[in-house]
Amino acid sequence: MFKRSYLFLYLILAISTSACAMPTGMTQAGSITAPSIDEASGLAVSRINDQILWLHNDSGDTARIFAIDTQGNPLATVNITGVKNIDWEDIASFVYQGESYLLIADVGDNQAKRSQYQLHLIKEPDLSQLNGQKTLSVKPSWSMTFTYPDGAHDCESVAVDLAKQKILLLTKRDKLPILFELPLIAPSGQNASNNSSVEMVNKQAKRLGEIAPLPTAMLDYASIYTWIGFAGKPTAMDISADGLSAVVLTYTHAFYFTQPQPSDWLSLFATQPQQIMLPSIKQAEAVGFSQDGRSIFITSERLPAPLYKMDLNSAGTLQ
């Protein structure tokens, strides 16, 4: 009896210790310590400057996003006027009609009680034009209110497929994650760069289907996230700029899916991903591809939040 107990405790300790090791190809680029960014729940790499990252907090904050450098140092705060942060859960960056945009996803719904959800699209601020300003305000170029065809869903993973002009949403709390899509279109067919007024688009998301459970490793069975039922649940997602790769984040792993040529995402998510075991991290909820798609950045809620960079091309990095 005692031998079995000691063996179990030894295995838990060994697994926990191994989880703290840094995977090959991963480095800690920096650390987020700014008190204003205490619940980073979404991350996107700037399409204007590869050394700038955009972040936002979870629910409870005002409607604002933050620019930091790749070491985690704060650069600017951008207030989004005319909208609220009900439960912001992800952010994506992309170039559309020759302009760099950020999509902010107000899609969280822990209790599955919301009747509708919002996406806000803003032109990415060019920080080189700020002339020393640290705070600015912008309004959305357009916003999208949407519903799901089968009722409420909690979602923390949103990404933009520019090649197909689609917005992908991957649910979190369903028994199997469900993939939905929305069209990426400017309102009324007008050019999105015309920001003279904010328009609202109303859409219903299209259900693509359930995806296979994300693989779990032994670590998951020693993790608190297993005991509360969240092992393998998607907490963030991004698509590379070329539309060939996707990364899905959970509390203990990142999963990297890639393909030689574009296909439908449901088929890609049915393939076996390459697994990246995360080092010790409090609550991983933010991931984004670099501009060239060769690496990803990962960070978490709670301060100080380590900012990790993972080289996807390093031999032996992916498990």
Side-chain angles (χ1 to χ4, degrees):
M1 177 70 177
F2 288 106
K3 287 183 179 180
R4 289 181 180 178
S5 298
Y6 281 126
L7 178 59
F8 179 74
L9 290 174
Y10 173 79
L11 288 173
I12 295 295
L13 179 61
I15 293 166
S16 300
T17 302
S18 66
C20 296
M22 193 78 73
T24 304
M26 182 176 285
T27 58
Q28 183 170 342
S31 184
I32 301 170
T33 60
S36 57
I37 315 174
D38 60 348
E39 269 195 300
S41 188
L43 180 154
V45 175
S46 167
R47 295 299 160 187
I48 297 174
N49 187 322
D50 199 31
Q51 302 305 308
I52 293 175
L53 310 178
W54 291 100
L55 302 168
H56 63 76
N57 285 320
D58 207 331
S59 59
D61 197 9
T62 58
R64 58 180 179 171
I65 60 175
F66 307 93
I68 64 171
D69 64 23
T70 51
Q71 288 75 52
N73 301 308
L75 300 175
T77 299
V78 180
N79 296 307
I80 316 300
T81 62
V83 303
K84 295 181 179 180
N85 178 349
I86 298 174
D87 194 352
W88 290 9
E89 288 293 354
D90 212 347
I91 185 171
S93 58
F94 58 98
V95 176
Y96 179 61
Q97 297 182 350
E99 298 275 3
S100 180
Y101 281 87
L102 300 172
L103 180 151
I104 303 159
D106 192 344
V107 294
D109 192 4
N110 291 353
Q111 305 302 319
K113 292 182 176 179
R114 294 177 64 175
S115 60
Q116 60 185 21
Y117 307 88
Q118 286 81 39
L119 303 174
H120 307 295
L121 296 99
I122 67 168
K123 282 187 183 179
E124 180 183 349
D126 185 352
L127 299 189
S128 67
Q129 306 298 316
L130 290 184
N131 297 319
Q133 290 176 267
K134 295 295 183 180
T135 303
L136 67 154
S137 297
V138 302
K139 62 181 179 180
S141 295
W142 77 94
S143 292
M144 180 184 298
T145 293
F146 73 93
T147 58
Y148 296 102
D150 53 353
H153 290 277
D154 183 39
C155 175
E156 296 187 4
S157 306
V158 180
V160 173
D161 177 3
L162 191 63
K164 297 179 181 177
Q165 297 198 15
K166 299 291 185 181
I167 301 166
L168 297 183
L169 306 101
L170 186 62
T171 66
K172 178 181 181 181
R173 294 173 188 264
D174 295 294
K175 184 176 181 180
L176 290 177
I178 304 172
L179 188 65
F180 290 89
E181 72 173 21
L182 286 161
L184 177 67
I185 55 171
S188 305
Q190 65 183 7
N191 191 307
S193 63
N194 179 5
N195 197 23
S196 59
S197 63
V198 178
E199 293 197 36
M200 182 70 71
V201 178
N202 296 290
K203 292 289 180 181
Q204 184 177 87
K206 177 182 178 181
R207 180 187 172 112
L208 300 180
E210 296 175 336
I211 72 167
L214 294 169
T216 56
M218 188 62 187
L219 169 67
D220 291 331
Y221 297 99
S223 167
I224 187 174
Y225 298 111
T226 298
W227 310 129
I228 62 175
F230 286 122
K233 299 294 186 181
T235 61
M237 176 172 65
D238 198 19
I239 292 173
S240 59
D242 62 11
L244 296 178
S245 303
V247 59
V248 177
L249 188 68
T250 69
Y251 288 124
T252 57
H253 291 76
F255 298 94
Y256 177 60
F257 300 82
T258 191
Q259 55 193 343
Q261 58 187 14
S263 66
D264 71 279
W265 290 104
L266 198 62
S267 296
L268 180 61
F269 285 137
T271 65
Q272 185 72 19
Q274 295 174 294
Q275 301 181 43
I276 305 167
M277 184 178 291
L278 302 182
S280 181
I281 191 167
K282 293 177 181 176
Q283 195 168 333
E285 292 201 5
V287 67
F289 276 103
S290 60
Q291 283 189 9
D292 60 12
R294 296 179 181 176
S295 58
I296 55 174
F297 289 92
I298 297 170
T299 193
S300 72
E301 296 188 358
R302 305 180 192 177
L303 298 178
L307 180 61
Y308 294 114
K309 184 178 183 181
M310 179 71 187
D311 178 6
L312 299 171
N313 295 321
S314 294
T317 59
L318 303 173
Q319 304 177 8

